[in-house]
Each structure stands twice: as structure tokens, then as C-alpha cells.
Amino acid sequence: MADPKGFLTTGREVAETRPVDERVKDWNEVYVPGSLLPVISKQAGRCMDCGIPFCHSGCPLGNLIPEWNDYAYRGDWTAASERLHATNNFPEFTGRLCPAPCETACVLGINQPAVTIKNVEVTIIDKAWEAGAVTPQPPERLSGKTVAVVGSGPAGLAAAQQLTRAGHTVAVYERADRIGGLLRYGIPEFKMEKRHINRRVEQMRAEGTKFRTGVEIGRDIDAAKLRKRYDAVVIAAGATTARDLPVPGRELGGIHQAMDYLPLANKVQEGDYVAPPITAEGKHVVVIGGGDTGADCVGTAHRQGAASVTQLEIMPRPSEERPEGQPWPTYPMTYKVTSAHEEGGERVYSVSTTHFEGTAPEEGQAVGNVAFLHLVEVEFRDGRFEPVPGTERKIPAELVTLAMGFTGVDRDNGLVEQLGLELDARGNVARDADYATNVPGVFVAGDAGRGQSLIVWAIAEGRSAARGVDRMLTGASELPAPIRPTDRALAV
Ligand SMILES: Cc1cc2nc3c(=O)[nH]c(=O)nc-3n(C[C@H](O)[C@H](O)[C@H](O)COP(=O)(O)OP(=O)(O)OC[C@H]3O[C@@H](n4cnc5c(N)ncnc54)[C@H](O)[C@@H]3O)c2cc1C
Ligand code: SF4
């Protein structure tokens, strides 16, 4: 235990964010760079090195949190980084983007603010990169086996890195023009600057992983032929089928899926556009859906200069305290204020959209543009949301983004049919405890198998599927033991 009295003498301090007025004028990460550096070792010293570290099971990766907290407390950043990488390929992603279910499982959190695990994690990895301690780890010998990974999000990257390091020849196929999946096109720059992905991809290239962008398996290459060409295939294609809102007026201009809106803002930052083809500038924006994707639309709309931003959620506003049915150490559904919410806008709970009202079509337009959104308050009764009579109203809505979640893997591009993959009842690729699908030699990891989830789970599953592949190819594997697909740990 680093500091036996740390949790008694030191209070929790989290990374400082830049002032709202300053940060909404740019796209850089919202945190003040290095703001925690002077105190991070003391923060790590609050860790009690518990006999049973519940944070391990809170983290889907099983990160060895007390071990690296101890090294961080002592200022041994190299050792801390080595322990961190023992379970996590990409701590710079999770350290910035994870909702940190480890912290809600921290034993100190029972009666005091939890250890700032996520902030310690990101500090360790940032320092390791700065010190040049994160270097390529090419395999000592090649196995002669080949693996294709379909999709370059966190699941595909983690699987590819593990398999390359195990000596297999790995090619990652990505339909987008850049590597990273939702980390690249979806999650805004202000949550994670894309230079972090580029740096990892360079490391992976130096280790021997090959990347093929702009290739959609199923469309550009027949998936069954891909299977024949490689000794194994990992499907890490995400759960990209977005849920729609089939209400009157949905066909109006100005109503877009969040994932048609957010990537364009990412592309402006990449230098592909001077201005985004869909922009919130000067518009009344309504975001439908209260999750991460919705919050990202809110923050993006603020930066584009929206006239107003309203976020709608059908569920009631969660409580600020842990609900009774979600005691420590589970991950509770509490009211969260993200950096995007700090920046303004209104959040409206317990409402449902009834229809959209539009302007008359202009010459050459088949339909007009959305102008208002009609909503009604709802109550949850007898297992369904019922409208509350007399609560109908309309709000201005000139740009509407739909952020209502995803319903599984893409079924339109031929990938599923050409391989003959079985899907489960939720539209995800079915798999067994070793992440193997019904097709011999084809494995699945991340959102494609799990359904829409988190980066930390995608990395955990990519690592686990890699072990399944390695075992199939070589008969045994020294890669870390998998997390079972059914194992929800304490996490979301
Ligand atoms: C807007 C948004 C914000 C989010 N914010 C957070 C957050 O802050 N924290 C968090 O933990 N989680 C967040 N999530 C969830 C998280 O991003 C996902 O759970 C995670 O990225 C899933 O990783 P994955 O590798 O399984 O899939 P993805 O990241 O979706 O990557 C799949 C990749 O496969 C490619 N692909 C698909 N089909 C094919 C094909 N046939 N051929 C070739 N390539 C193909 C896709 O183009 C994509 O690049 C967010 C999700 C969204 C949508
Ligand atoms: S990956 Fe997420 S859950 Fe795991 S230690 Fe980091 S912040 Fe916590």
C-alpha cells in the first residue's frame, strides 16, 4: 500500500476543465493539459490496496488498478505503464473516454469520494508516451498463420495488436477512409484528439499489422472469399445500425441520424472539409436521445454556433444519488453532467416526439425543412410509456439529430449473409464463450457481438477473441485469459 494514510489525509481532486467560454471556440480536448500533474501521485496514494480490490471486477479489462496506483504514488511511471499495458492495449483511449465503472466499485467510494482511477490511468500513459516508453513490440518469430480483422474500432485494433504480437500476420480491413471506428468518426475531437489514434496506429504498423482502408467486406470483397484467403477472421464491425424514429414528418429535411452528423464534424477537423455539410450554425437544434451519442451532438452543436440546443429523453431524470436497487459496487444509473452539458443547452426528460412540422418545400425540393418538433410528456405505466393528456407542445427545431441507440451489426452490406453468420435475438452476431461464431474460423468481438457498449468492453473483447483465434491456430495460447461474453462483471 503506497500511502497508508493517503485516503485519510487527501481529498479527491479531478482533472480541471478549460473555461466554457474558451473551449466552445475550439475543438481541443476540454481538459487543461497536465492540470493534475502536481497532485496525481497524492491522488494515487488514496488507493487503499484493498484485500479484495472490487475495482478489478468493476473494470471490464480487469485493470490491475492498485498495482499501478502504487507505482504512480512512488513516481515510477515506467513500471506503472508496464502494469497498465498488462491488461489494456490502449489506456489513452479509456483514460479519456471510459465512464469508469471501476470508480463506482472502488471500496473507498462506500463512504468517501472514490479514487480518481481514470485520471491516474491517463496520466500514466501520457507520461509513458512523452518519455518514449511506449515502443513497438514486434513478435520474435512469425507463426506463418494469417488473420483478417474486419473493422478498426477499439475491438478490431485490440484483437489485431494481440494477434500480431503473438506472431500471426494480421490485416485490418476498414470501410472508412481512416482507422479508428467510432473513436475516429463519432467521438468528437473535444473528447479525444485523434492524434492519440494516429500514434497507436503507427506503433501497430511498426509491429507488423497491415491496414487496408476504404475496403468494405461484403461489398468490395466477398466475405466468404476473405474467409478462404485467411486462416481466421475476426468480425469487429461494430453495431452500426441506428434506431430510427418513424413518426409523421420524419422525411423532412434537417432530420439526421447522429452518426450522419457527427462524423462530418470529425472530418472538418481532419481537414477534409472547410465547413461541415450539415451544421448547427445559427439553428435551433434538438437532439433526441440522452446518452453518450446525444451528449456528443450537444457539444458539437455548441461549437458550431447553434442558436439553441435542447436534448430530449424519454426516461425520467435519474437521481443524483445511487438508486436503492443499484447499491455499491454496481454501476449506478445516476444523473450525469458531461462536459457538453456544462456548456449549455436544456435537457428535457420524460417526453416523447409525436411528429415534426416543416416549412413548405421550396422550388426543386420534394419536402420542406423541419421547423418544429411536437412532443408530449410521458409516464411509464404497465410496462410502456403513456402520453400524459394535455401536455402536448411544440418547440423550434431546425436541425434534429436522432441519437436513440443502435440495433446491431450492419445487415445491408453482405457481410452477414456471405459468411452465413447467425445473429442473436438482438441483431448481434451470435458467439460462444470463446468468441467463436457458428462459422468455423470466424470470431466476433466488440459491439458486433455484444451490441452497442463501451470502448473498455470493446478492447476487452478484442483481447479475448484474439486468444480464441490464437488457440484455434496454434492449439494453445499464452495470450491473457478471456472475459466471457456473458460476464457482465460489475460494469455497465
Ligand atoms: C457518438 C458516440 C459516442 C460514444 N462515446 C463513448 C464514450 O465516450 N465512451 C465509451 O466508452 N464509449 C462510447 N461510445 C461507444 C463506443 O464508441 C463503442 O462501444 C466502441 O467504439 C465499439 O467498438 P467496436 O470496435 O466494436 O466498433 P466500432 O468502433 O463501431 O468500429 C467498427 C468499425 O468497423 C467498420 N466496419 C463495419 N462494417 C465493415 C465492413 N463490412 N468492412 C470493413 N469495415 C467495416 C466500421 O466502419 C467501423 O470503423 C460512443 C458511441 C458513439 C456512437
Ligand atoms: S478502463 Fe475504465 S473501468 Fe478500467 S480502470 Fe480505466 S477507467 Fe476504470
Side-chain angles (χ1 to χ4, degrees):
M1 183 172 178
D3 178 0
K5 293 195 178 151
F7 67 98
L8 296 171
T9 55
T10 308
R12 176 179 158 110
E13 266 184 74
V14 291
E16 195 186 328
T17 49
R18 296 187 290 131
V20 168
D21 287 356
E22 174 193 313
R23 70 188 199 227
V24 293
K25 295 194 192 98
D26 64 46
W27 292 83
N28 301 336
E29 285 174 10
V30 297
Y31 292 101
V32 178
S35 67
L36 267 185
L37 275 181
V39 295
I40 199 72
S41 290
K42 284 193 92 176
Q43 287 299 310
R46 294 182 72 232
C47 177
M48 301 190 294
D49 193 12
C50 307
I52 299 174
F54 280 81
C55 52
H56 279 194
S57 22
C59 173
L61 284 159
N63 273 351
L64 306 169
I65 297 159
E67 291 185 35
W68 40 260
N69 271 335
D70 186 67
Y71 286 120
Y73 173 72
R74 293 170 203 284
D76 188 345
W77 301 102
T78 309
S81 164
E82 184 273 319
R83 296 319 286 146
L84 186 49
H85 280 103
T87 55
N88 188 353
N89 297 63
F90 313 122
E92 64 274 36
F93 305 161
T94 47
R96 288 180 167 78
L97 298 166
C98 189
C102 54
E103 293 187 15
T104 57
C106 171
V107 175
L108 189 55
I110 295 175
N111 66 348
Q112 282 193 51
V115 175
T116 55
I117 298 170
K118 179 174 157 174
N119 285 168
V120 176
E121 180 177 23
V122 79
T123 308
I124 294 170
I125 182 59
D126 284 356
K127 275 182 160 284
W129 277 109
E130 258 171 51
V134 187
T135 51
Q137 295 173 33
E140 281 172 12
R141 58 177 183 80
L142 292 178
S143 67
K145 304 285 184 189
T146 57
V147 184
V149 175
V150 181
S152 70
L157 292 179
Q161 188 165 58
Q162 294 293 93
L163 287 164
T164 302
R165 288 177 176 177
H168 308 303
T169 302
V170 180
V172 178
Y173 289 87
E174 170 55 58
R175 66 183 172 189
D177 56 351
R178 291 185 178 88
I179 295 297
L182 290 171
L183 297 168
R184 171 81 62 183
Y185 290 133
I187 290 168
E189 194 83 5
F190 58 82
K191 267 172 57 180
M192 188 181 78
E193 292 168 14
K194 305 309 164 200
R195 62 192 170 91
H196 300 296
I197 311 173
N198 300 342
R199 202 166 50 177
R200 271 296 170 186
V201 171
E202 281 320 304
Q203 182 202 31
M204 291 180 66
R205 278 191 218 279
E207 289 170 353
T209 307
K210 308 269 183 293
F211 292 97
R212 312 259 184 270
T213 51
V215 184
E216 183 160 13
I217 303 303
R219 276 211 175 96
D220 301 317
I221 296 180
D222 184 284
K225 285 195 183 137
L226 186 84
R227 170 67 195 96
K228 284 206 184 107
R229 211 194 291 168
Y230 287 86
D231 295 312
V233 172
V234 179
I235 306 293
T240 54
T241 308
R243 188 169 286 121
D244 215 315
L245 183 64
V247 298
R250 167 67 182 90
E251 70 287 354
L252 289 164
I255 304 173
H256 305 278
Q257 283 291 349
M259 284 305 296
D260 291 331
Y261 168 65
L262 291 171
L264 296 174
N266 295 129
K267 281 176 166 280
V268 174
Q269 298 313 307
E270 297 278 4
D272 297 349
Y273 297 112
V274 177
I278 304 173
T279 178
E281 190 177 355
K283 294 181 185 151
H284 295 291
V285 177
V286 180
V287 177
I288 304 182
D292 269 341
T293 310
D296 290 352
C297 291
V298 170
T300 300
H302 288 318
R303 281 163 183 73
Q304 290 176 340
S308 71
V309 184
T310 309
Q311 189 178 15
L312 307 181
E313 171 58 53
I314 196 164
M315 301 293 287
R317 186 187 194 273
S319 65
E320 290 185 24
E321 301 300 322
R322 270 183 188 277
E324 254 183 33
Q326 298 167 27
W328 179 92
T330 60
Y331 187 79
M333 292 301 148
T334 50
Y335 181 72
K336 294 184 184 71
V337 180
T338 69
S339 68
H341 296 121
E342 285 168 5
E343 292 160 4
E346 191 190 355
R347 295 159 91 177
V348 184
Y349 290 90
S350 297
V351 289
S352 177
T353 304
T354 57
H355 62 283
F356 298 104
E357 181 184 330
T359 56
E362 287 177 16
E363 210 174 302
Q365 265 190 325
V367 289
N369 287 319
V370 65
F372 293 97
L373 178 149
H374 290 249
L375 56 80
V376 64
E377 289 174 21
V378 291
E379 271 175 7
F380 196 67
R381 268 186 270 127
D382 303 328
R384 48 183 297 171
F385 289 102
E386 297 288 353
V388 180
T391 60
E392 298 83 1
R393 63 182 197 273
K394 68 176 185 178
I395 57 174
E398 293 160 310
L399 171 69
V400 175
T401 63
L402 307 178
M404 301 176 303
F406 300 87
T407 59
V409 69
D410 191 336
R411 269 92 80 192
D412 294 336
N413 58 15
L415 175 71
V416 169
E417 292 74 24
Q418 289 162 13
L419 282 170
L421 290 172
E422 272 173 18
L423 301 184
D424 65 18
R426 295 188 305 143
N428 305 316
V429 179
R431 71 274 182 88
D432 67 13
D434 286 324
Y435 294 76
T437 69
N438 61 307
V439 183
V442 179
F443 292 72
V444 63
D447 283 8
R450 185 179 182 79
Q452 71 169 113
S453 185
L454 296 173
I455 291 153
V456 62
W457 272 113
I459 300 172
E461 290 211 0
R463 291 170 65 85
S464 303
R467 181 181 155 99
V469 172
D470 192 33
R471 267 219 315 219
M472 185 205 78
L473 293 177
T474 63
S477 180
E478 288 178 10
L479 292 174
I483 291 173
R484 302 287 166 194
T486 48
D487 179 5
R488 289 186 56 80
L490 300 169
V492 273

